[in-house]
Amino acid sequence: MTDTSVVGIDKVNNDGNRSLRILVVTECFWPDIYAINDIVEKLVKRGHRVTVLTGLPDYTTTKIPPEYRHGQNRHQNYKGADVYRVQTIARHHGPIWRSLSYLSFVVNGWMRARTQDWKHTDVWGKGENQKDTDRIGSAGIRSSALSDIDDADFDVIYVWEVSPVTMAVPAIALKKRYKKPLFLYCMDIWPECVKAMSIKEGTLPYKLIHWWTKRIYRQCDHIAVSSKPFFQYMEEKNGISRDKMSYLPQYADVGLLELDTSKISNQNVTNTSSESNDNAYDLVGNDGINHTDFLFIGNIGKAQNLDCLMKAMTVFKGRNDVHLHMVGGGSEFDNIRKLARDLGIGDIVTFYGPKPFKEAVAYYNKADACVLTLDGSTHIGDTLPGKLQTYMAAGKTILAAANGAAMDIIKEAECGKCVAAGDDKAYGQALLDFADYKEKYSDCGEKARKYFRENFMEEQHFVELERLLNMMTDRH
C-alpha cells in the first residue's frame, strides 16, 4: 500500500495509477448508511488522500443526533479520510423540512468552500483507530499554525450526486476558488427527480429548478452516469455533450460473492427495530422448502414505487406460506407500512427498519428471492439501482417491476423476471409464479452472480474511476 502520509503527484498506488488528493463533496455521509462511505474507505485503501465536505447525519432518524449538536464533531476522521461537516437543518418529515435541509447544505457548504483553507489538514493519513476527539476545534476550522506540507492540496473534486443535485454547489465554489477539475458521479437525474416531489413539468418551480440544474451540470468537467439511459436524458434535457460523460455502474460488496447465501430454513428473524411491525415474523415451524420468503433491502422512498409491491403481494392474501421482509428506511417508510396494513397483508409483511450492511447480509439467508420496484412514470425509472447489483452478488433470483436499465440487465442476465414498472397485477402474477414453481428459477442465482462478475466488480469500478480522475488532472 502506498504511504499516504504525504502524497505527491509522483506517487503511484498498487495498480500503477497516480495517487491523487481527492476532495469529496456529499451531503450524505457516515454515520448514516450510504454507498459513499465505502467509496471513501476504498479510495483511501487504494493509496489516495481523501477529504470529505459533508453535512450532519440525520437520514436514519430524520433528526440530528445529540453528539452532532452545538458544534460538536465538525471535524473527524473516517477510515483515514479527513471529514469536515457544515451545519445543516434536520430533514424531519415532509417536503418543506426536506427542502430546508437541502438548502442549508447549499448555503453553509458554499460558505465553507469559500472561507476554509482547504490546502492544509492535520488528519490526512491517520488510521481508522484515531479517536473522534482528535480534530481541529468544534467548528472544524483550523485555529493553529498551518501545516508546512507544500503539496497538501487536492487535485480533483468528486461529487457523489444523489438527490438533490444542489449538493454540487459547494463543489463548484471550490472549483472556481482553486481552479481544480470537478467530477460528478450522477446516480439521480435532475430535474426529473423533482417530479417525485409532485412538482409538475412546465410549472414555475420546475422551470427554476431546471435552470439551476443545467447551470450545475454544465460547470462539471466530467460526469459519470450510473445508468446508460441517463446519457440521452442528460443530452436532451440538460445539454450535456456525450463526450463529457462516461458510464460508471455502481458496484456491490464482492464479499457477497463468496458467502453462502442459500436459504437457511427454521431460522428466527430477529427484529430489533423500533419502527417494525408489532407482529415480528418467525420462520421457526415453517417448512423451509415449501415456504416462500421475499426480501427487499434498500431505500423506501417514492422513487422505489413500493405501492406496486404491496398491491402485488395481495395475491397471497389468506396464505400462510409466503412472507415479505422489508429491510430499510426512508421518506415513505410509514406510508408503505400503513398501506400494507390497509391492504390486509400486514400479517405477511414485516418491516425491520434500516440495518448496517453487516447485519443486512444475514437476511439473504432467509430469502428465496429478492424484489425490486421502480417508478415508471418518469425517467427516474430508468435508473440502475444499486440494490440490483447487491441482489446479483448475493446470488438471488430477482423479481422486479421496472423499466430502463434494470429491466434490460435482468433480461440480459436471465436472473429472474421483470415486468413493466407500476403493473402491480403482472407483478403479482410473477411473484405467484415464483412461489408456486420455484424449480423454474433454480439457476437464476448463479446466472446473477456470473453477470455481476463480468460487469459490476468493485475493482472494475475503481480502475475506471481512477482512469477518469487521472485523465482530468492531466488536462489541468
Side-chain angles (χ1 to χ4, degrees):
M1 179 64 66
T2 302
D3 176 10
T4 58
S5 57
V6 180
V7 182
I9 59 172
D10 59 332
K11 296 202 175 184
V12 295
N13 60 21
N14 291 340
D15 299 304
N17 286 310
R18 186 171 70 233
S19 293
L20 296 169
R21 294 157 295 187
I22 304 167
L23 178 52
V24 174
V25 177
T26 171
E27 188 170 341
C28 321
F29 194 62
W30 162 86
D32 283 333
I33 303 167
Y34 283 101
I36 185 60
N37 303 351
D38 189 66
I39 292 172
V40 166
E41 180 182 355
K42 296 294 169 51
L43 285 171
V44 171
K45 287 182 176 179
R46 293 174 73 87
H48 303 290
R49 177 179 283 175
V50 182
T51 303
V52 180
L53 172 59
T54 188
L56 301 180
D58 68 347
Y59 183 77
T60 303
T61 64
T62 73
K63 298 177 182 178
I64 306 298
E67 62 269 28
Y68 286 93
R69 298 174 189 170
H70 311 299
Q72 298 182 86
N73 290 318
R74 294 302 190 268
H75 189 187
Q76 298 176 291
N77 176 274
Y78 175 75
K79 308 289 187 180
D82 192 14
V83 182
Y84 289 90
R85 299 185 186 275
V86 299
Q87 182 69 38
T88 49
I89 297 172
R91 65 181 63 206
H92 296 293
H93 294 284
I96 294 177
W97 279 110
R98 195 156 61 246
S99 297
L100 288 173
S101 178
Y102 294 160
L103 288 173
S104 65
F105 180 75
V106 171
V107 173
N108 292 329
W110 180 85
M111 290 181 64
R112 181 65 68 84
R114 293 293 302 271
T115 59
Q116 179 167 319
D117 183 348
W118 290 96
K119 291 187 177 183
H120 303 86
T121 176
D122 283 344
V123 182
W124 266 334
K126 293 187 179 179
E128 61 182 283
N129 293 326
Q130 179 193 16
K131 296 180 180 179
D132 287 344
T133 53
D134 186 11
R135 52 185 175 270
I136 304 173
S138 61
I141 299 178
R142 191 175 178 79
S143 58
S144 59
L146 295 175
S147 168
D148 59 357
I149 300 176
D150 293 334
D151 68 347
D153 194 359
F154 58 91
D155 302 306
V156 63
I157 306 159
Y158 172 108
V159 177
W160 190 74
E161 188 254 309
V162 292
S163 292
V165 69
T166 51
M167 70 170 65
V169 170
I172 293 170
L174 287 161
K175 171 189 173 178
K176 291 180 177 179
R177 183 181 176 191
Y178 291 104
K179 312 301 181 188
K180 296 296 183 181
L182 173 54
F183 174 91
L184 184 140
Y185 187 28
C186 176
M187 282 161 289
D188 285 341
I189 45 174
W190 278 63
E192 196 70 15
C193 285
V194 302
K195 294 178 181 178
M197 304 175 196
S198 301
I199 299 176
K200 295 182 179 179
E201 189 168 358
T203 62
L204 181 59
Y206 181 91
K207 289 179 180 178
L208 290 172
I209 293 170
H210 188 195
W211 172 82
W212 197 5
T213 296
K214 284 195 291 187
R215 285 181 60 85
I216 290 171
Y217 282 136
R218 289 176 181 180
Q219 291 183 80
C220 299
D221 294 285
H222 197 84
I223 297 173
V225 298
S226 59
S227 302
K228 288 182 179 179
F230 286 4
F231 284 133
Q232 183 177 353
Y233 180 88
M234 294 290 280
E235 282 185 291
E236 295 178 356
K237 204 72 176 178
N238 293 312
I240 307 301
S241 62
R242 180 64 179 81
D243 60 2
K244 193 179 176 180
M245 296 185 285
S246 299
Y247 174 55
L248 184 64
Q250 296 182 71
Y251 67 93
D253 193 308
V254 293
L256 284 171
L257 289 170
E258 310 305 323
L259 293 179
D260 181 5
T261 56
S262 55
K263 184 176 179 182
I264 301 174
S265 60
N266 297 330
Q267 182 178 358
N268 288 331
V269 174
T270 303
N271 193 347
T272 58
S273 172
S274 60
E275 297 179 311
S276 59
N277 284 22
D278 295 329
N279 56 316
Y281 180 63
D282 191 331
L283 282 178
V284 172
N286 289 312
D287 186 331
I289 298 175
N290 296 325
H291 196 278
T292 301
D293 289 273
F294 297 114
L295 174 65
F296 173 92
I297 293 186
N299 185 48
I300 299 178
K302 286 191 175 181
Q304 284 68 45
N305 193 23
L306 290 165
D307 296 46
C308 177
L309 174 58
M310 295 303 121
K311 292 174 183 176
M313 283 295 295
T314 59
V315 298
F316 300 112
K317 264 188 181 181
R319 291 179 57 164
N320 60 6
D321 62 340
V322 176
H323 206 90
L324 170 62
H325 304 272
M326 301 286 293
V327 180
S331 60
E332 289 295 295
F333 181 91
D334 291 334
N335 292 335
I336 296 301
R337 184 173 58 173
K338 181 179 182 299
L339 178 60
R341 290 170 175 168
D342 291 345
L343 292 171
I345 56 172
D347 59 328
I348 61 171
V349 183
T350 300
F351 294 85
Y352 300 89
K355 298 290 182 183
F357 176 78
K358 289 181 179 179
E359 289 184 31
V361 168
Y363 286 83
Y364 288 107
N365 290 126
K366 303 172 176 66
D368 295 287
C370 290
V371 293
L372 183 155
T373 55
L374 288 173
D375 180 18
S377 63
T378 67
H379 287 286
I380 298 172
D382 293 339
T383 301
L384 176 57
K387 70 169 64 66
L388 177 60
Q389 285 102 315
T390 304
Y391 289 169
M392 297 180 92
K396 292 295 180 180
T397 299
I398 301 168
L399 304 171
N403 300 332
M407 175 179 278
D408 292 342
I409 286 174
I410 291 170
K411 288 184 175 179
E412 185 178 341
E414 298 179 340
C415 61
K417 181 175 286 189
C418 187
V419 303
D423 191 343
D424 57 274
K425 288 184 170 52
Y427 194 35
Q429 289 304 307
L431 298 177
L432 190 63
D433 184 69
F434 177 85
D436 292 342
Y437 304 101
K438 288 192 191 73
E439 65 278 3
K440 289 167 51 177
Y441 301 83
S442 60
D443 60 348
C444 287
E446 275 309 308
K447 287 183 177 179
R449 279 182 161 168
K450 180 177 183 294
Y451 192 92
F452 179 94
R453 289 188 181 96
E454 294 172 354
N455 297 276
F456 300 132
M457 294 290 283
E458 175 186 301
E459 183 66 15
Q460 294 168 324
H461 178 96
F462 282 101
V463 167
E464 176 63 7
L465 173 61
E466 289 168 338
R467 185 189 72 81
L468 293 170
L469 295 181
N470 276 290
M471 174 189 70
M472 293 172 66
T473 56
D474 286 343
R475 291 176 179 175
H476 278 68

